[in-house]
Amino acid sequence: MDRDILDFTKSISFDKRLAPYDIEGSIAYAQMLGKCKIISKKEKDLLVKGLRSLKERIGRIPLENNEDIHTAVINLLRKEIGKTADKLHLGRSRNDQVVLDLRLYCKDEVKQVIEKIKKLQRSLWERAKDWRGLTIPFYTHLKNAQFILFAHQFLAYIGMLERDKGRLGDVFKRMDIMPLGSGAGRGSGLPLDRFYLAKKLNFSQVSENSLDSVSDRDFVIEFLSTLAILSMHLSRISEDFILFCSDEFGFIEGDDSHFTGSSILPHKKNPDPLELIRGYTGKMYGNLISVLVMMKGLPLSYNRDMQLDKPPLFDSLDIIKDSLNILEKIVSKLKVNKENLKRASSNEFIFATDIAEFLVTQGYSWQEAHNLTGKLVLESIRKKKPLKEMSDKELKKIIPELTQELILDFLDPLKSVRRIKTYGGSGPESVENQIKHWGKILR
Ligand code: ARG
């Protein structure tokens, strides 16, 4: 083969990552060939023994002068046991082999990602527990909305990540289908036992159509799409932390060993790792799009284009596992700045909705309550007089039900939060229930 063409078509530089799965699949395949009497017991034993010994050593063998991992394994096996190695490929094609390897790999990776999400959730849960008694404003349009318990925000993150775990579990079901025995795409004239293979390789199902089986990369696309959504969540959490660490908010602080200095500004402590998690999300989307576009025009069944599903898949898995590790590390050492949290409650207008809700309990319609509270806010702005400094007389002129004492009561963030009654809301009872609920699930 022309040297340049060979270099161009090779995939060994990246698919060597599949080596343990390729060998695992080959061992099961040899056992099946033996069991179905397609090869002799002696040949089967030799193949299995050779493959097992290869599995031990493959990490240390340079593979680069092979075209791909499948040919590398056969070539090495031939060196080890001689011509019998070629019997391994009876009825098998690289088309079903590569899907098998990829499915085995993805099934392992899903489990690893789920474990890492759990670890992050546990750290977030610890912060929720620590900060259950503290309040922060929540934001809509990045403007002060109302007060919530700080724990509520961390519990929200846990819920987002729980959905990611659910999606990964769903994708797993469609990865868990055994393709081997499909050959190049139409099956084989040899009496292969695909159900035996599924059992050996721990798959819950056998694929139903050999042509579809070698053509299908939906599980890669679904995986990448699930990881892209997960990455979007990590990016939003990072963005919240970046904001909350900023000098303007100052609600939380990262550990000195986690944030970075500046080459020119001596006072800086920058949230670079969080910015990179946010930045990498772009690559995660790109990887998904690249496989979607690569697949969209392919005729059935296998086409070499499909080799290009692996670099984006591997890249996304590397990024997501790193991001989960790093975010967990940062969360585990986050500190809160109570002074700055207090400062955040100096904006009296955050409590406007509390006043309006009170007026509804006094018999006003929501529209009336909204209007009157709006008037009160306007009066305070016009007169440049904080609500808490307005006299009973000034208050009653606008809203007869109000007194200075009542206003002072409204302006307390904890009291404000205690008024929340709804299931799933940020009231202390609901937050305690959420903490308990996740404590059980994440144990
Ligand atoms: N390296 C190829 C891939 O990753 C393996 C399958 C090659 N099959 C073929 N018929 N050329 O897709």
Side-chain angles (χ1 to χ4, degrees), residues 3 15 52 93 114 125 174 202 216 250 271 350 377 400 438:
R3 188 76 240 169
D15 68 13
R52 286 204 176 127
S93 155
I114 288 179
W125 184 75
R174 282 176 296 281
N202 206 12
D216 171 23
I350 305 186
V377 167
W438 288 116

Side-chain angles (χ1 to χ4, degrees), residues 252-357:
I252 53 175
E253 200 182 312
D255 194 74
D256 282 356
S257 69
H258 293 166
F259 284 13
T260 44
S262 149
S263 55
I264 177 164
L265 311 168
H267 65 288
K268 292 274 264 184
K269 180 172 157 186
N270 294 330
D272 295 36
L274 295 170
E275 293 168 329
L276 283 169
I277 293 172
R278 188 178 58 186
Y280 272 126
T281 304
K283 278 196 95 190
M284 299 291 292
Y285 295 176
N287 288 340
L288 165 64
I289 296 299
S290 100
V291 179
L292 274 171
V293 177
M294 180 272 284
M295 289 297 290
K296 88 176 183 58
L298 299 185
L300 297 190
S301 59
Y302 177 83
N303 301 270
R304 192 60 174 267
D305 318 44
M306 286 150 88
Q307 175 166 296
L308 302 180
D309 61 353
K310 283 171 239 24
L313 175 66
F314 297 161
D315 187 46
S316 281
L317 279 162
D318 290 344
I319 292 173
I320 207 72
K321 287 194 287 183
D322 280 351
S323 300
L324 285 164
N325 285 345
I326 296 297
L327 194 55
E328 192 279 328
K329 230 181 224 292
I330 291 173
V331 172
S332 74
K333 294 224 173 146
L334 274 185
K335 286 191 276 291
V336 70
N337 186 325
K338 291 186 185 164
E339 280 310 301
N340 288 342
L341 286 187
K342 240 183 242 148
R343 197 161 44 99
S345 63
S346 63
N347 174 6
E348 295 184 327
F349 301 147
I350 305 186
F351 301 98
T353 318
D354 294 72
I355 298 174
E357 273 181 5

